[in-house]
Amino acid sequence: MTFTTMTAGRAAGCLVGLCTTLAVVAGCSPEKSFALVTVRAADAELVDVAWLQVDLKNGAETDSLRYPKGNPTSRRISKTESLSFSASFTPSHGGVLEVAVTALGAGGSPLGYGKTTVALDPRHTVKAEVLLDKGAMPPDWESRDGGARDGGAIPPREPPAGCDPTAPASCGASNTCTVQCNAAMPTMAVGRCSASGRKQAGESCAVNADCTPGSQCFKFACGKDGKDIKGLCLRFCKNDDACGAQSSCTTPVPCGSVPSGYKTCTPACDPRAPATKGCGGDGLRCFVTKGEGTACACAEITRTGGDGAKCDDDRQCEPGFICIDTAGALSCRALCRLDAPECPAGHTCEKLTAPDYKVFGGCLPN
């Protein structure tokens, strides 16, 4: 199997988007089949794209190409501005073609990544579209050879330290620094410049580009099967001074199941019922953590007990309620703040001794 690139009426070796046309490939042999691939941004645009790293797989056969082969370019890829290339195959090749594309900066580091599949049609041209997610990187990036199996030189990589997520200004206007992880190699987690948005820490998000500089969109797997994904902007920090009076720099950023070394501020959320304030309003709830900190998290399906319901631990009480000993029996009672003792009618905010809380209390019946 051989992969080549062609433009309308021109020889191999040039991306269509770097030339003059997006027309269907002309002058191709009828004895070959072709895949015409268009690359565009899934959401946030990618700027200063120097190379495209293309990884192709058809059955047991694979190949990798990097374009252009010479000096780097400086192109923009957005929802409306795309780059295209074609790959040719002998008629013996059919089945599914997997196309993975990584946009690379001048330093050789990933700016975005996307993948798609298309069924080959012998002696015909099929079209495919790859949508690049800005800031994403191939899962095997740190372990690969730089993608130069095509025979071209490997562009230099950016320094391993990358940018500093707590100092996003170094990435320029309208950008920020996000943490990119390799789940298999947590020590390779680095800061990468990417687009920023307007959503503040504590607001819901879908992608990193939604959040203001200095913060990033982190995902929570909710629901019984973990498929109900919620996103929340969290602010990076080095110490508590960056987090404000009602927050602390104690939330580790994980790469897989291992802390990456980066941290975010705990959300300045309100754990009192309905426990939604400060957690994005997208289904995450606020809970009291060790040391009377607060954190946004998915609510377990076991959290159904309202005021007075019998319980064995907090996970059986609705968000905003805590399982405490009342008159010798454990029951769910609403949380309250001792410095602002607001409770439902017929209840009084009382200090708790088990656990020994100093900020929060329980709304006990009069």
Side-chain angles (χ1 to χ4, degrees):
M1 175 176 62
T2 60
F3 296 111
T4 62
T5 57
M6 302 183 70
T7 65
R10 296 191 62 173
C14 182
L15 285 174
V16 177
L18 298 180
C19 300
T20 59
T21 179
L22 291 178
V24 176
V25 175
C28 300
S29 167
E31 295 304 314
K32 291 185 177 182
S33 57
F34 292 85
L36 182 63
V37 182
T38 300
V39 181
R40 68 179 76 249
D43 190 5
E45 68 179 23
L46 291 80
V47 297
D48 296 330
V49 177
W51 288 276
L52 288 186
Q53 169 68 36
V54 182
D55 295 298
L56 302 170
K57 181 179 180 181
N58 177 226
E61 299 191 52
T62 61
D63 202 353
S64 293
L65 306 165
R66 178 169 287 175
Y67 303 104
K69 294 184 179 180
N71 294 327
T73 61
S74 181
R75 307 291 295 191
R76 180 193 306 271
I77 301 178
S78 67
K79 289 184 177 180
T80 57
E81 298 172 274
S82 62
L83 299 177
S84 297
F85 63 90
S86 65
S88 66
F89 308 83
T90 62
S92 63
H93 285 277
V96 175
L97 172 68
E98 182 180 286
V99 185
V101 178
T102 308
L104 303 175
S109 293
L111 302 177
Y113 172 76
K115 184 171 68 174
T116 192
T117 57
V118 63
L120 293 176
D121 187 359
R123 297 184 175 85
H124 293 85
T125 297
V126 296
K127 297 181 179 180
E129 183 176 64
V130 177
L131 299 179
L132 299 181
D133 289 314
K134 185 169 184 175
M137 61 193 300
D140 64 340
W141 179 255
E142 298 296 346
S143 61
R144 64 169 58 191
D145 62 1
R149 287 164 283 177
D150 182 46
I154 302 175
R157 301 285 296 278
E158 290 180 2
C163 56
D164 183 354
T166 64
S170 62
C171 289
S174 301
N175 291 311
T176 188
C177 181
T178 57
V179 173
Q180 300 296 322
C181 294
N182 184 321
M185 302 174 65
T187 57
M188 299 304 295
V190 294
R192 299 294 186 199
C193 292
S194 62
S196 63
R198 297 183 177 181
K199 293 195 173 184
Q200 302 292 326
E203 294 188 67
S204 59
C205 56
V207 294
N208 290 337
D210 289 338
C211 303
T212 55
S215 59
Q216 183 170 334
C217 186
F218 291 90
K219 302 299 178 65
F220 297 76
C222 300
K224 184 178 180 180
D225 54 6
K227 295 182 179 180
D228 185 12
I229 305 300
K230 310 292 184 183
L232 187 70
C233 294
L234 296 177
R235 178 168 297 280
F236 290 105
C237 58
K238 289 183 177 179
N239 51 56
D240 292 347
D241 293 341
C243 298
Q246 296 183 356
S247 182
S248 61
C249 186
T250 56
T251 303
V253 175
C255 283
S257 59
V258 180
S260 65
Y262 296 97
K263 292 182 179 181
T264 64
C265 299
T266 58
C269 59
D270 188 347
R272 296 173 296 179
T276 57
K277 186 178 179 180
C279 289
D282 190 33
L284 295 175
R285 299 298 185 95
C286 183
F287 298 102
V288 179
T289 61
K290 185 177 181 180
E292 293 188 88
T294 56
C296 296
C298 306
E300 298 97 328
I301 59 175
T302 56
R303 289 186 176 271
T304 59
D307 186 46
K310 293 182 180 180
C311 58
D312 295 315
D313 57 49
D314 295 344
R315 291 171 296 179
Q316 294 177 323
C317 300
E318 292 179 1
F321 288 77
I322 186 172
C323 185
I324 58 177
D325 189 339
T326 306
L330 292 173
S331 60
C332 297
R333 299 297 177 183
L335 275 167
C336 57
R337 287 189 66 96
L338 297 175
D339 59 356
E342 298 179 4
C343 286
H347 295 69
T348 302
C349 185
E350 301 285 351
K351 188 181 185 309
L352 302 177
T353 57
D356 185 16
Y357 281 178
K358 297 177 175 58
V359 177
F360 296 101
C363 292
L364 304 183
N366 294 337

